[in-house]
Amino acid sequence: MKILIAFFCGVIFGFGLALSGMTDVSRVIGFLDLFGDWDPTLAFVMGGGILISLPFFQIALGRFRGPLIETEFRLPINSDIDGRLIGGAALFGIGWGLVGLCPGPAIASLAYLNTDILYFTTAMMTGMLVANFIEDLLTKKP
């Protein structure tokens, strides 16, 4: 049941990304082009998402003892800013800036059946697998 609900939420999220134009690479690149032909659309989409979700998160955390399909809310507890966080953020930002896609819009864009998106998503997933493999190797205790 959890997988079905997660899938349904992912479909809604992907539909929202497509509806708002966030799967349009040129729109995202336009947002990142601060000194050229800047497109503020992404800022409005992100701001709108925050304005809608933040009050609901506050209500849910204060009113409900737990989520509907899980035993507890799982909020981030690590507040350390370390090399792993900075490196990951830098790689994410570089990839986003070069291609105009981050993981959510890339997966949602697969519905367009564009081969460039397929290549990018395959490379992205491969990179995630390689990163997990390297992390497992580095954290493996003798």
Side-chain angles (χ1 to χ4, degrees), residues 28-95:
V28 175
I29 296 290
F31 172 73
L32 298 172
D33 187 7
L34 297 176
F35 302 108
D37 191 21
W38 186 64
D39 181 358
T41 308
L42 181 58
F44 289 112
V45 170
M46 286 192 287
I50 290 169
L51 285 174
I52 291 170
S53 64
L54 186 63
F56 284 103
F57 271 104
Q58 297 304 315
I59 290 168
L61 290 175
R63 186 171 292 175
F64 300 113
R65 286 191 281 188
L68 296 175
I69 60 168
E70 231 1 286
T71 57
E72 63 183 339
F73 288 112
R74 296 184 187 171
L75 301 174
I77 55 172
N78 187 356
S79 60
D80 296 341
I81 297 175
D82 57 5
R84 189 170 164 235
L85 175 68
I86 299 214
L91 285 173
F92 177 87
I94 290 167

Side-chain angles (χ1 to χ4, degrees), residues 3 9 24 30 38 50-53 55 61 96 103 107 110 139:
I3 292 175
C9 290
D24 180 0
W38 186 64
I50 290 169
L51 285 174
I52 291 170
S53 64
L61 290 175
W96 193 39
I107 292 169
L110 288 172
T139 58

